[in-house]
Every structure is written in structure tokens, then in C-alpha cells.
Amino acid sequence: MTDRYAVIGNPIAHSRSPDIHAQFAAQTGQQIRYERLLAPLDGFVAAVDAFRTAGGRGLNVTVPFKLQACDYADRLSPRAQAAGAVNTLVFGSDGVEGDNTDGVGMVRDIAGRHQTVLDGLRVLLVGAGGAARGVLLPLLQAGVAAVLIVNRTPDKARALALASADSRVTGCGFDELGKAGRFDLLVNATSAGLDDAAPPLPTSCYANARLAYDMVYGARPTPFMQIARSQGCAMSCDGLGMLVEQAAESFRIWRGVMPETEPVYQQLRQTLVAG
Ligand code: ATR
């Protein structure tokens, strides 16, 4: 029987995960079926239960269910625990495992596709919501020297820094950035791009950075990427590579085989640009 997987969310029609996993399966010769699952906003648990009863082996979880998926799991991986969110569920005979592959996806994209060694870098992490929390532990595990979390609501940045229990992490507001020194890597984990805006960073932050990384992606460079380029940042990129890498890590967890991500990334990029 073909093993069944799906991505669950609301809305879900826009999700590229079925296309990505179909390519991974074809490439590795794995017999799987991967669907989109639209769950009612108040019906996550019932939808997951039904999928499991029908023989489902695992789920990717997206907005707005990543926190509920945390509660649903019987066990959490350390990175899911640190993220406080689950994007990958594994249904085994001994219960439900919750994992989070978003952060490791970003780290692999930065280190591999964008050829930036994270070890020893000074990082400015912009935003203190779920997206920022999800990438914090993998960044620290990759050996960065320091992470300054900056947020519109400074107390949230300070609270996230404190919760990390790592002396390399500190938090502040945008008006304190002037005296914060220079950064090698800027990561935009805010949702400002959804309003076609960039977070209000002083222009001095961009000039010395090697890479400006936006966790969202689109057909055109995001506002954050455009400002970074115009202010002299050496390199800027969007989060399309992160999307493909987090999917590959989920596929590896489920199937025990790591797919090649580059051809899938290239195909997605072409599709995006072609509109
Ligand atoms: P996500 O799960 O995507 O991180 P979230 O938890 O709602 O979503 O967090 C959104 C983040 O983007 C927050 O850090 C938010 O700042 P506040 O904590 O002050 O709300 C940040 N954000 C959203 N719009 C922004 C904007 N226009 N400028 C700067 N930061 C913004």
C-alpha cells in the first residue's frame, strides 16, 4: 500500500508542499502519496485523527496549527520544544512524534545554497514571533558568536532572549540598534513583508553585513532584500530555499532518505518568476 502524507493548514490551497514532496519521491523512488488537507479553524484535532485512522503516516503542519500540533504530539524533539511549534508529525506504532524542521532548513539554506559559514557570525534576528523562535536554536547550534533579537515590541525580544537561556542571545528595540555594533548576518523574521514593508532597521545595519536573509519569498525581491541591496549588503536572498530544505528534512524523517534539494529549488524558482 502507498504510504500517505499531507500538509494540513487553513488556508492550504496555495501550499507548494505536495509538488515538492512529489519531486522528492520521484527522485528517490519512494512510493508515497502527499495531499493537501484543509482543516476547519476549530477542527485540527478531528482532522488529524481522521487522517491517522485512514492510515496516514505523517503530516506537515502550517498556519495556523503549528502550536496545536505541539499539543497533539506525544513526544517533542528538542528543536520542536525550543521552537514551541511543530511543523512535522510522525505517526508511529508507539505514538505521535512532533518535530520542527524550519530552523534547520534555514541553516542549511544559508550554509549550502548561500555558502555562508555560520560559525562565529554576529547575527541580527529581526522579529520575536513564532518565526524567530523557530530558528533561534538551530542558529545557536550552528555556532554563531552572538544573536541580537530586535523587535518592534522590545519586551518580546528580551523575553525570547531570556527564554533561550544562552548568554550569546540578547534582545532590544529598534531605537537601541545604533550602538549595537556591526552584524554579519541579518535575518528578517517579521511579518512586515506581508504589508509590502521592511522592518525599520537603521541603514548602518546593512552596510557591513555579508547576507540579508528574508524568511518569506516571492516572485520579486522582498522590500527587505531591496533595501539591503541598496544599502550595500553583499548578498540578499529570500526564504524559498528554506521552504525546500525544511521539506527535505521532513522527508528524511519520514522516509529515512535525504533527497537532493537543488533541482527542486530551481524548478520552484522558475515557476515563481514565470508567475
Ligand atoms: P510569525 O509566527 O510569523 O513570527 P507573529 O508571531 O505574529 O508571526 O510575529 C510577527 C513578528 O513580526 C513580530 O515580531 C512583530 O512585531 P511585534 O511583536 O512588535 O508585533 C513583527 N512585525 C510585524 N509587522 C511589523 C512591521 N511592520 N515592522 C516591524 N515588525 C513587524
Side-chain angles (χ1 to χ4, degrees):
M1 228 177 76
T2 305
D3 289 337
R4 283 181 67 195
Y5 299 88
V7 56
I8 186 168
N10 186 333
I12 202 63
H14 66 284
S15 173
R16 293 173 196 273
S17 293
D19 179 30
I20 295 173
H21 283 277
Q23 292 191 54
F24 288 163
Q27 192 196 97
T28 57
Q30 294 281 311
Q31 299 294 318
I32 67 162
R33 200 167 113 207
Y34 189 110
E35 306 145 60
R36 286 184 184 87
L37 205 58
L38 176 69
L41 290 174
D42 60 353
F44 173 75
V45 171
V48 178
D49 283 345
F51 184 73
R52 280 175 77 190
T53 305
R57 300 286 300 270
L59 284 171
N60 279 136
V61 182
T62 187
V63 177
F65 298 127
K66 288 184 182 185
L67 298 186
Q68 286 182 63
C70 233
D71 295 334
Y72 190 93
D74 299 313
R75 295 179 304 279
L76 293 178
S77 68
R79 58 195 183 188
Q81 237 157 32
V86 157
N87 79 336
T88 306
L89 287 169
V90 187
F91 306 131
S93 52
D94 58 343
V96 180
E97 181 91 32
D99 205 338
N100 192 313
T101 65
D102 286 330
V104 77
M106 187 186 82
V107 162
R108 283 190 192 146
D109 187 42
I110 290 173
R113 192 160 289 108
H114 304 294
Q115 298 185 355
T116 301
V117 177
L118 282 156
D119 191 44
L121 294 194
R122 285 178 50 81
V123 180
L124 182 64
L125 180 57
V126 192
R133 186 173 168 187
V135 298
L136 193 50
L137 181 66
L139 279 172
L140 294 167
Q141 287 176 334
V144 298
V147 180
L148 177 58
I149 305 168
V150 61
N151 197 44
R152 186 172 60 182
T153 312
D155 280 351
K156 277 171 69 180
R158 285 190 261 271
L160 184 55
L162 203 62
S164 77
D166 190 306
S167 58
R168 290 173 289 174
V169 188
T170 48
C172 73
F174 287 103
D175 57 353
E176 297 162 76
L177 276 179
K179 48 184 188 295
R182 51 188 289 171
F183 301 97
D184 308 300
L185 171 64
L186 314 177
V187 176
N188 181 21
T190 72
S191 46
L194 300 179
D195 305 325
D196 216 23
L201 292 181
T203 53
S204 59
C205 285
Y206 294 102
N208 296 307
R210 290 184 216 175
L211 176 62
Y213 193 99
D214 202 334
M215 286 173 64
V216 301
Y217 63 86
R220 289 170 290 107
T222 65
F224 173 71
M225 290 169 66
Q226 288 175 30
I227 293 179
R229 280 182 193 176
S230 70
Q231 296 302 324
C233 183
M235 217 181 351
S236 67
C237 66
D238 70 7
L240 188 68
M242 175 177 175
L243 174 76
V244 180
E245 298 299 332
Q246 62 79 28
E249 179 66 3
S250 295
F251 190 88
R252 187 194 66 73
I253 291 167
W254 290 327
R255 308 303 300 178
V257 45
M258 191 69 185
E260 256 191 68
T261 54
E262 191 56 21
V264 180
Y265 171 81
Q266 292 298 347
Q267 186 270 334
L268 278 179
R269 179 67 74 196
Q270 275 169 22
T271 309
L272 259 184
V273 171

